[in-house]
Amino acid sequence: MKDGDGPGDGDRDGDGCGVLPGSIRPGGRTARVRASVLRAAGDALAEHGFAGLDLADVASRAQVGRTTVYRRWGSAGALVADLLVDMAEQSLARSRTGSLLGDLKENARLVQRTLVDPRQGPLFRAILAAAATDDSTARALRRFYEIRVAEWAGCVDDAVERGEIPAGTDAREVVRAVSAPLYYRLLTTAEPPDETAADRAAEGAFVAAHAGVYLRVRPGAPQSGAAGDLEPPGEHGVGR
Amino acid sequence: MKDGDGPGDGDRDGDGCGVLPGSIRPGGRTARVRASVLRAAGDALAEHGFAGLDLADVASRAQVGRTTVYRRWGSAGALVADLLVDMAEQSLARSRTGSLLGDLKENARLVQRTLVDPRQGPLFRAILAAAATDDSTARALRRFYEIRVAEWAGCVDDAVERGEIPAGTDAREVVRAVSAPLYYRLLTTAEPPDETAADRAAEGAFVAAHAGVYLRVRPGAPQSGAAGDLEPPGEHGVGR
DNA sequence: GTGTTAACGGAACTTCCATCCCCTTAGTGG
DNA sequence: CCACTAAGGGGATGGAAGTTCCGTTAACAC
């Protein structure tokens, strides 16, 4: 596990002089404690959610003293933020299937599998909830998704290179368009996203990207209500 | 304001005999208290989020005794659930611009304006967070979005009627596809969704619906990795 | 190996929130 | 308008979560 960056890059308590615990002797027990606490925090989050996160419970799961958790992380929000830093480092490499639709489907399936996973799904729900309340968690969450989105944006750039979709396409917007429906379903419906939802998300993003919806310079921008000169796919009115 | 259904349809405490306070004398002060508490709860949620929701604070904002809030709602989760019931009843009617893209853009703009609103945006964030933890809130949230989505699904059905998009299109999936990117941006990035994001969301859903992505019977279902015989928009490889 | 001290761990203390009791206020029926 | 009682309000009580103190353990330097 990584070492040296501890519970965050900034000072937790605001004064610029105090050295955070874990930064001077990061090896051995300190690293072991950090790994153990982060795993326990993930487990507790997945089980009870952010509101039910009890730092004393985390400490006992991790077989660590409560004081240690309070001293090194200070609050539930900071603990989740550190967990996100850890998760961001385990980011998986993007796929290279040779076609944009193939890559987007791989991405959609990966996200879908994560969200329906009995541990990861509740964990992500809990983390999103934490970010809504705690500011340091929100920052860590944004950074986490920045990294993930940037990684997969390469697929879109490659597709532009191949001529599959128009130049000037905002790659990150395309990647976000794949994830968005899956997260929306997780948060607002009773059924977590299935394979069909994943395929639809990928196909929808692909078709829209192809039609120029995610161009950085938007053709229809000046007109407010009109469709602009967005090219409609195929011929209009076709009943398929 | 509605009266008579109080903090939920079921018994809060599980035993089927006790009558919930507010159900026998719902008029006058009781209704006034409910309205005042729900407004205060919304304000408090928007300001401090769900984790920071203090029922005593809600009570003092509403100029009501703490005991009253605890007796009638019992927990923060139940209070938010009741707030959602109230919000669902104030649902706005869908638009009828005559074109699907026009209707979807209206919907996207409505969602976008809600999410960037200084009160509504934080409120929705807080409610989503609450639903991740509390079960009764989650049920109320799902019901809320069911109602909203069903209302706007009419636009899609009308478009099928007009021949704009293929018959067999899952109308609710199209409506969800409009909202999803806006919520995703709200939750995972620092910039709340702007007008461009709203237009992109509407156009993306429109183009995908047109291409048959949201057909209930999916043409490419048997093949797992392939694109199926999904009709690509326009000609492939066009650089726009 | 040995010493220094960073980091950990247990326990008492404090604070804050949910609950309970009982009195007061005001809807509702006559 | 009056009586009855449902519903609201203030203060005391109990418990759980966070904080602090100080003794113990082990990382790192020499």
Side-chain angles (χ1 to χ4, degrees):
Chain A
M1 185 144 291
K2 87 197 163 60
D3 48 2
D5 50 8
D9 8 17
D11 288 345
R12 194 176 61 240
D13 43 1
D15 63 335
C17 42
V19 178
L20 285 168
S23 55
I24 296 179
R25 290 180 183 176
R29 181 166 67 163
T30 299
R32 220 155 44 234
V33 163
R34 186 176 121 93
S36 181
V37 168
L38 289 188
R39 181 194 338 232
D43 291 345
L45 274 178
E47 280 182 37
H48 307 301
F50 181 66
L53 187 64
D54 178 12
L55 293 202
D57 174 53
V58 171
S60 72
R61 281 169 190 259
Q63 295 186 304
V64 156
R66 314 167 194 66
T67 316
T68 301
V69 177
Y70 282 108
R71 184 173 32 231
R72 286 192 60 180
W73 289 277
S75 72
L79 180 57
V80 178
D82 194 30
L83 179 62
L84 273 165
V85 170
D86 193 62
M87 287 169 67
E89 290 176 359
Q90 300 165 11
S91 212
L92 281 82
R94 69 178 175 91
S95 69
R96 294 162 194 270
T97 63
S99 79
L100 178 57
L101 186 56
D103 286 342
L104 294 185
K105 282 202 176 186
E106 289 273 319
N107 184 21
R109 289 289 180 103
L110 179 66
V111 172
Q112 184 259 329
R113 266 182 274 121
T114 302
L115 296 186
V116 299
D117 183 89
R119 186 191 134 96
Q120 302 254 81
L123 178 58
F124 271 81
R125 277 167 159 270
I127 289 175
L128 286 167
T133 298
D134 185 81
D135 213 51
S136 64
T137 307
R139 271 196 302 275
L141 183 78
R142 291 196 290 264
R143 192 169 182 76
F144 174 80
Y145 281 105
E146 257 177 46
I147 292 171
R148 287 251 163 147
V149 169
E151 167 74 14
W152 285 85
C155 297
V156 182
D157 290 329
D158 288 356
V160 170
E161 207 75 26
R162 288 192 299 263
E164 274 196 83
I165 53 171
T169 296
D170 188 334
R172 289 150 38 125
E173 273 299 293
V174 178
V175 176
R176 289 200 192 98
V178 174
S179 287
L182 305 174
Y183 277 86
Y184 188 77
R185 247 181 89 150
L186 178 77
L187 295 175
T188 68
T189 75
E191 309 92 30
D194 53 10
E195 286 85 357
T196 300
D199 288 349
R200 275 180 174 161
E203 290 166 13
F206 171 72
V207 170
H210 190 98
V213 170
Y214 304 114
L215 286 172
R216 260 185 292 270
V217 179
R218 293 182 46 77
Q223 302 88 337
S224 70
D229 30 298
L230 174 79
E231 185 167 338
E235 59 283 343
H236 252 115
V238 72
R240 212 199 146 63
Chain B
M1 183 146 293
K2 85 194 165 63
D3 49 3
D5 51 7
D9 7 19
D11 288 346
R12 195 176 59 239
D13 43 1
D15 63 335
C17 41
V19 179
L20 285 168
S23 55
I24 297 179
R25 290 182 184 174
R29 181 165 68 164
T30 299
R32 219 155 44 234
V33 163
R34 186 176 121 95
S36 182
V37 168
L38 289 188
R39 182 195 338 233
D43 291 344
L45 274 178
E47 281 181 37
H48 308 301
F50 182 66
L53 187 63
D54 178 11
L55 294 203
D57 174 52
V58 171
S60 72
R61 280 169 190 258
Q63 293 185 304
V64 157
R66 319 165 203 23
T67 315
T68 301
V69 177
Y70 283 108
R71 184 172 33 230
R72 286 192 60 180
W73 288 276
S75 73
L79 180 58
V80 178
D82 195 31
L83 179 62
L84 273 166
V85 171
D86 194 62
M87 286 169 66
E89 291 177 358
Q90 300 165 10
S91 213
L92 280 82
R94 69 177 175 90
S95 67
R96 295 163 194 269
T97 63
S99 79
L100 178 57
L101 186 56
D103 286 342
L104 295 185
K105 283 202 174 184
E106 288 274 318
N107 184 21
R109 290 290 180 100
L110 179 66
V111 172
Q112 184 260 328
R113 265 182 275 121
T114 302
L115 297 186
V116 299
D117 182 88
R119 187 191 133 98
Q120 302 254 81
L123 178 58
F124 271 82
R125 277 168 160 269
I127 289 175
L128 286 167
T133 297
D134 185 81
D135 213 51
S136 64
T137 307
R139 271 196 302 275
L141 183 79
R142 290 197 290 265
R143 191 168 182 75
F144 174 80
Y145 281 105
E146 259 177 45
I147 291 170
R148 288 249 163 148
V149 169
E151 166 74 13
W152 285 85
C155 297
V156 181
D157 291 328
D158 288 355
V160 171
E161 207 75 25
R162 287 192 300 262
E164 274 197 82
I165 53 171
T169 296
D170 188 333
R172 290 149 39 124
E173 273 299 294
V174 178
V175 176
R176 289 199 192 98
V178 174
S179 288
L182 305 175
Y183 277 86
Y184 189 77
R185 247 181 90 151
L186 177 77
L187 294 175
T188 68
T189 74
E191 309 91 32
D194 53 9
E195 285 86 357
T196 301
D199 288 348
R200 275 180 175 160
E203 290 166 12
F206 171 73
V207 170
H210 190 99
V213 170
Y214 303 114
L215 286 172
R216 259 184 293 268
V217 179
R218 293 183 46 78
Q223 301 89 337
S224 70
D229 29 299
L230 175 78
E231 184 168 338
E235 58 283 346
H236 251 115
V238 73
R240 204 196 156 64

